[in-house]
Amino acid sequence: MARTADRPAQEALLSRAVWEVLAHQGLERLTIRAVAAAAGCTTGLVMHRFPNRRALLVHARRLLHERTRARVEALEASSATPREALRAVLRQGLSLDDELRTESTVWVGFLAAAVADDELIAQHRVNNQSWRQRITRLVAAAAPDWPAERAAVAASALIALVEGAAALGSGDPAGYPPAAQERMLDDTLAAFGLAG
């Protein structure tokens, strides 16, 4: 009798393994063999889904984008005001807990790999453009009297703050503890007149 594969279960197992290796062992150790070991399966199974290292990276980045998008959409939908939504969406991008720190580590690893790879950097730019559009839209909603250019500049500054704090916080949690990251965000929102 032929065996049948539970493809969704295999996909979930391999996704967790890719994420685990990239987040906890780093970009340099993201290999087919390392993913197989983390998943407790054969390298053949991994190679059936991910034929090379680039495929592993693309999958990890896609998974990060999907997780982040779902989370920010829920935060935005549950916020009472545009300013509350802006803060909540930006806040989730900081390295405030183990899960967010892991996501930041994955993002930094992908960006490092993408620098010298046209296909990966193109994917990064598409995702980054989507993020900039979301934050610009939220800034414009929080400050409806601002000209579009001012909203775009404020959005870019807020994104730079959040992504910089998240990257630094993921690499040095003691130097950039969660409370300090949140204070940076709140002080910057206040400086722009976007608090509360």
Side-chain angles (χ1 to χ4, degrees), residues 99-153:
E99 178 183 355
L100 295 173
R101 214 172 354 269
T102 296
E103 289 181 3
S104 181
T105 302
V106 169
W107 183 85
V108 169
F110 179 86
L111 185 57
V115 169
D117 185 305
D118 291 340
E119 182 181 342
L120 295 179
I121 201 68
Q123 182 181 0
H124 167 74
R125 288 177 179 151
V126 166
N127 292 336
N128 191 49
Q129 180 180 6
S130 173
W131 180 236
R132 282 194 329 266
Q133 289 171 344
R134 179 182 298 274
I135 299 304
T136 300
R137 178 178 51 76
L138 289 171
V139 169
D145 56 328
W146 285 11
E149 183 178 345
R150 182 174 180 194
V153 168

Side-chain angles (χ1 to χ4, degrees), residues 3-194:
R3 291 188 309 159
T4 57
D6 183 351
R7 293 195 190 280
Q10 286 178 350
E11 174 84 18
L13 174 71
L14 294 176
S15 292
R16 282 191 304 273
V18 168
W19 194 263
E20 176 74 23
V21 171
L22 187 55
H24 299 289
Q25 297 180 36
L27 178 64
E28 295 303 316
R29 293 191 179 101
L30 183 65
T31 64
I32 301 290
R33 180 172 283 132
V35 170
C41 68
T42 66
T43 57
L45 178 62
V46 177
M47 290 182 71
H48 180 71
R49 175 67 180 86
F50 304 108
N52 55 42
R53 187 166 183 263
R54 175 194 263 167
L56 294 170
L57 283 168
V58 168
H59 181 72
R61 182 60 177 101
R62 186 176 302 118
L63 185 60
L64 175 61
H65 181 72
E66 290 169 4
R67 288 172 66 158
T68 303
R69 182 178 38 83
R71 186 171 53 242
V72 299
E73 286 175 357
L75 288 167
E76 201 174 331
S78 67
S79 295
T81 68
R83 289 181 180 206
E84 183 182 308
L86 176 63
R87 184 185 185 278
V89 169
L90 288 168
R91 183 184 178 279
Q92 68 76 42
L94 296 170
S95 295
L96 302 178
D97 57 30
D98 288 340
E99 178 183 355
L100 295 173
R101 214 172 354 269
T102 296
E103 289 181 3
S104 181
T105 302
V106 169
W107 183 85
V108 169
F110 179 86
L111 185 57
V115 169
D117 185 305
D118 291 340
E119 182 181 342
L120 295 179
I121 201 68
Q123 182 181 0
H124 167 74
R125 288 177 179 151
V126 166
N127 292 336
N128 191 49
Q129 180 180 6
S130 173
W131 180 236
R132 282 194 329 266
Q133 289 171 344
R134 179 182 298 274
I135 299 304
T136 300
R137 178 178 51 76
L138 289 171
V139 169
D145 56 328
W146 285 11
E149 183 178 345
R150 182 174 180 194
V153 168
S156 292
L158 290 164
I159 289 167
L161 167 80
V162 167
E163 291 183 359
L168 292 167
S170 66
D172 183 9
Y176 295 87
Q181 292 178 57
E182 284 196 84
R183 176 74 188 270
M184 286 186 272
L185 174 60
D186 289 339
D187 287 355
T188 303
L189 287 169
F192 275 116
L194 295 169

